[in-house]
Amino acid sequence: MPGLLLGDEAPDFEADTTQGRIRFHDFLGDSWGILFSHPRDFTPVCTTELGRAARLAPEFSKRNVKMIALSIDSVPDHLAWSKDINAYNGEQPEETLPFPIIADKNRELAVKLGMLDPDERDKDGMPLTARVVFVFGPDKKLKLSILYPATTGRNFDEILRVVDSLQLTAYKKVATPVDWKPGDSVMVVPTLPDEEAKKLFPKGVFTKDLPSGKKYLRYTPQPE
Ligand code: BEZ
């Protein structure tokens, strides 16, 4: 089965992009990375997504996340489309975006990474790429994968929110509860004994009483 599962290492592929030829591991370096795929250039939903991604680029950069997009068209198409994306954002119609777009004209990477949407096809009957989001950690392992069909645009505020959760929970023994936003309280992970939790979280651990009598709902203010 092609595709990537949580914990898999990012394939070290080579590809042509709008910023030249890259080798993926070199591109990622020691940073976090986000790879997001698009069905096709010059399509409406993709244009809005890439416009939003471009506007949020400083936020990803603040979090040490390198962004890279993929679409199944050529570099010249990607560059021409980038002008439209900048114009959509109300900017000068330039060919540059704050991240590269991979040219996957033959769908080789899309197949390898399990990105094709069988329900959306081009005029020749070939499947288009689905809207995949892969987030890689600095160890180049897959930390998060989101898969949307071509017809449903993603929410990039949500993607930033999950990056915040991934980075917090990678370094602290906490998990983020439903609808968590940065600054909200977090949950102590179930495997951490109470005594250790008290030491690790000096701002306090607050346990909610439950009918079962089990003390598993343990909150703590978001650690620094
Ligand atoms: C779009 O980006 O608008 C789109 C692409 C493929 C199928 C449906 C919508």
Side-chain angles (χ1 to χ4, degrees), residues 155-170:
N155 180 327
F156 273 72
D157 290 324
E158 167 62 4
I159 295 170
L160 260 190
R161 189 194 73 88
V162 293
V163 165
D164 285 332
S165 171
L166 291 172
Q167 294 188 336
L168 177 66
T169 59

Side-chain angles (χ1 to χ4, degrees), residues 23-172:
R23 196 166 185 119
F24 195 49
H25 283 195
D26 293 341
F27 170 80
L28 289 173
D30 296 327
S31 302
W32 288 71
I34 175 166
L35 167 61
F36 42 103
S37 63
H38 293 272
R40 184 115 251 184
D41 293 9
F42 305 105
T43 50
V45 176
C46 296
T47 303
T48 62
E49 285 191 325
L50 281 188
R52 181 80 180 123
R55 283 204 301 270
L56 284 176
E59 290 297 321
F60 284 98
S61 162
K62 245 195 257 171
R63 291 160 174 80
N64 191 28
V65 182
K66 294 196 80 174
M67 308 168 80
I68 189 162
L70 176 151
S71 181
I72 53 171
D73 287 291
S74 64
V75 167
D77 281 341
H78 289 349
L79 291 171
W81 183 35
S82 300
K83 288 188 186 175
D84 288 359
I85 294 162
N86 280 314
Y88 163 80
N89 270 353
E91 312 282 348
Q92 288 298 316
E94 289 168 355
E95 288 185 341
T96 47
L97 287 171
F99 46 79
I101 308 177
I102 295 170
D104 191 29
K105 235 175 131 27
N106 299 324
R107 295 168 168 77
E108 278 165 24
L109 257 182
V111 169
K112 184 171 181 171
L113 298 176
M115 288 174 161
L116 292 180
D117 182 342
D119 285 343
E120 294 296 330
R121 291 176 185 265
D122 66 13
K123 59 180 175 17
D124 303 317
M126 295 292 285
L128 298 177
T129 334
R131 299 180 195 280
V132 174
V133 180
F134 288 143
V135 178
F136 298 101
D139 58 0
K140 301 185 177 53
K141 302 268 173 68
L142 185 68
K143 305 298 177 190
L144 175 115
S145 140
I146 305 177
L147 174 58
Y148 281 43
T151 41
T152 300
R154 288 156 286 198
N155 180 327
F156 273 72
D157 290 324
E158 167 62 4
I159 295 170
L160 260 190
R161 189 194 73 88
V162 293
V163 165
D164 285 332
S165 171
L166 291 172
Q167 294 188 336
L168 177 66
T169 59
Y171 304 121
K172 307 282 177 187

Side-chain angles (χ1 to χ4, degrees), residues 165-223:
S165 171
L166 291 172
Q167 294 188 336
L168 177 66
T169 59
Y171 304 121
K172 307 282 177 187
K173 289 189 184 306
V174 296
T176 59
V178 62
D179 296 340
W180 174 86
K181 300 179 300 310
D184 289 352
S185 288
V186 295
M187 323 293 304
V188 177
V189 290
T191 47
L192 192 69
D194 280 340
E195 281 315 305
E196 274 181 57
K198 272 188 218 151
K199 282 188 225 145
L200 261 186
F201 304 114
K203 290 182 189 165
V205 175
F206 308 93
T207 306
K208 188 167 169 52
D209 289 332
L210 295 166
S212 66
K214 296 182 194 292
K215 309 275 183 206
Y216 59 89
L217 266 183
R218 298 181 298 171
Y219 291 88
T220 189
Q222 180 180 325

